Amino acid sequence: MAEIEKVKCLIIGSGPAGYTAAIYASRANMHPVLYQGEQPGGQLTTTNEVENFPGYPNGITGTAMMMELQQQAERFGTEIRNGWVTKVDFSQTPHKVWINEEKEIHAQTVIIATGASAKYLGLPSEQHYLKTGGGVSACAVCDGFFYRKQKVAIVGAGDSACEEALYLANICEKVTILVRRDEFRASRIMKERVLKAENIEVLYNTETEEVLGDGQVVTALKVRNNKTNEVSEIPVTGFFVAIGHTPNTAVFKDFISLDETGYIKNVPGTSLTNVKGVFVAGDAADSRYRQAITAAGSGCMAALDAERYLMTLED
Ligand code: NDP
């Protein structure tokens, strides 16, 4: 049987929430161990320029910012490891966490900072071309380059869809945004930027019926106007999906209280969950703000709450 490792503070996730928790926990001598999960650096590594994080007057790329946060956490002694959590048992203390289905960790405190993942439409054709890597993506910044000077479409009407459409508009010949209602959900400033862009076309009341292609690569989209029921084809080589996110909390569901959409319920104004010694930070509990800065702030809260909890154990 593999050896069991005992830790004071286990941090799960490597976005701004996880790394900020790690900075605070390591400076408080909690010797945190942080598992990076499937996407080291979290969602910010799929974003382009971060312009709204205080302290970066000229902006910074998401990837560079996450590398700096990682270095800052390491500087104070956080042990950062690759691997993801495959099972937990929070029924008694210390809390048990399994990494990659093999390594078992017993943690006095656990900080969940697992974030959220992109949603897809769920169409079989979308999933097919996602698997072939032939033209479906949920990350314009990661994949936009492959569609340089080509025609692409993006589905969604929130800030993410607008941000990604603007990013693609700089690279691609033409970007078509498919908006399912007759209005955007995005903030006014983002919507206006999109409407001003010369090579972005907005199709309102439009739903995607099928992603068309030759089996390997995407060649067009079949879309339907949900007011007129008219069906048409849009020739594109890339189809980007920007319709929101799902919190990465499934592995905790047997022990941690979740809301109806899967976000972890925290005691309002704190990082406390329904389990003593288990704390939450970042998008895993935040369907409302979902910003790097709010995630970082809640990472700080989780580390302070964990530190206070550890002190009560020593009393
Ligand atoms: P949102 O939940 O805000 O928007 C999702 C969009 O996808 C909505 O317009 C929704 O349509 C549409 N949608 C959902 N399901 C479907 C579907 N099946 N078919 C077609 N369209 C669909 O998610 P975002 O990821 O855009 O943003 C999340 C949060 O992050 C927001 O709070 C946002 O403000 C913030 N954000 C901020 C940024 C910034 O400040 N720079 C950048 C990116 C995000 P409908 O409107 O009809 O419901």
Side-chain angles (χ1 to χ4, degrees), residues 1-309:
M1 202 180 87
E3 200 188 328
I4 293 169
E5 184 182 1
K6 293 184 178 160
V7 304
K8 250 187 178 179
C9 177
L10 179 69
I11 300 171
I12 309 169
S14 57
Y19 283 139
T20 306
I23 292 164
Y24 274 77
S26 48
R27 293 185 81 249
N29 239 358
M30 288 157 70
H31 310 293
V33 170
L34 180 151
Y35 276 92
Q36 289 185 310
E38 290 186 47
Q39 189 178 30
Q43 288 183 87
L44 269 195
T45 56
T46 66
T47 199
N48 189 21
E49 194 79 359
V50 181
E51 293 179 329
N52 51 10
F53 200 94
Y56 295 99
N58 300 316
I60 182 168
T61 67
T63 305
M65 188 169 117
M66 296 322 297
M67 282 167 68
E68 290 192 356
L69 283 181
Q70 176 173 342
Q71 285 163 10
Q72 198 173 347
E74 282 171 330
R75 179 181 156 206
F76 299 111
T78 303
E79 200 176 321
I80 292 170
R81 300 178 185 167
N82 282 120
W84 56 91
V85 171
T86 45
K87 194 170 100 177
V88 301
D89 181 352
F90 294 158
S91 60
Q92 51 193 340
T93 54
H95 299 301
K96 295 180 184 150
V97 174
W98 284 264
I99 309 293
N100 298 349
E101 279 171 21
E102 26 181 68
K103 188 174 175 62
E104 184 174 339
I105 294 185
H106 289 189
Q108 283 181 287
T109 60
V110 177
I111 295 176
I112 300 172
T114 45
S117 298
K119 280 186 190 164
Y120 289 91
L121 295 175
L123 298 169
S125 54
E126 167 202 56
Q127 292 304 306
H128 172 77
Y129 289 106
L130 181 66
K131 284 201 190 88
T132 65
V136 173
S137 166
C139 177
V141 176
C142 317
D143 301 324
F145 184 76
F146 300 122
Y147 306 96
R148 233 174 350 152
K149 299 189 178 148
Q150 299 172 37
K151 291 181 180 141
V152 298
I154 181 161
V155 59
D159 281 324
S160 300
C162 290
E163 194 177 71
E164 303 216 339
L166 290 163
Y167 179 82
L168 291 168
N170 274 328
I171 305 173
C172 303
E173 182 191 327
K174 183 180 173 192
V175 180
T176 305
I177 303 195
L178 310 172
V179 177
R180 68 177 172 183
R181 290 184 294 138
D182 57 3
E183 61 178 348
F184 277 89
R185 177 179 293 273
S187 55
R188 212 172 103 192
I189 182 167
M190 295 301 281
K191 183 182 93 174
E192 281 172 1
R193 280 185 197 166
V194 161
L195 296 177
K196 264 194 210 147
E198 278 178 4
N199 60 341
I200 299 182
E201 182 184 13
V202 182
L203 297 181
Y204 293 100
N205 297 114
T206 302
E207 291 177 33
T208 313
E209 297 249 290
E210 195 179 346
V211 181
L212 304 172
D214 65 3
Q216 276 306 310
V217 297
V218 172
T219 54
L221 293 178
K222 191 166 151 195
V223 298
R224 185 174 58 84
N225 182 301
N226 56 27
K227 282 242 155 104
T228 62
N229 264 331
E230 190 190 330
V231 173
S232 55
E233 280 188 21
I234 308 171
V236 293
T237 49
F239 178 52
F240 290 86
V241 185
I243 60 168
H245 293 83
T246 307
N248 300 320
T249 55
V251 75
F252 309 112
K253 71 177 184 342
D254 292 339
F255 301 94
I256 298 288
S257 299
L258 309 178
D259 73 10
E260 61 287 350
T261 49
Y263 286 90
I264 291 176
K265 286 190 192 169
N266 55 317
V267 176
T270 77
S271 70
L272 275 58
T273 69
N274 59 307
V275 176
K276 280 203 172 105
V278 179
F279 306 88
V280 64
D283 287 11
D286 177 15
S287 60
R288 187 181 172 101
Y289 299 107
R290 293 184 277 202
Q291 299 300 300
I293 186 67
T294 50
S298 67
C300 157
M301 289 161 66
L304 294 178
D305 286 336
E307 187 193 359
R308 280 172 199 156
Y309 171 79

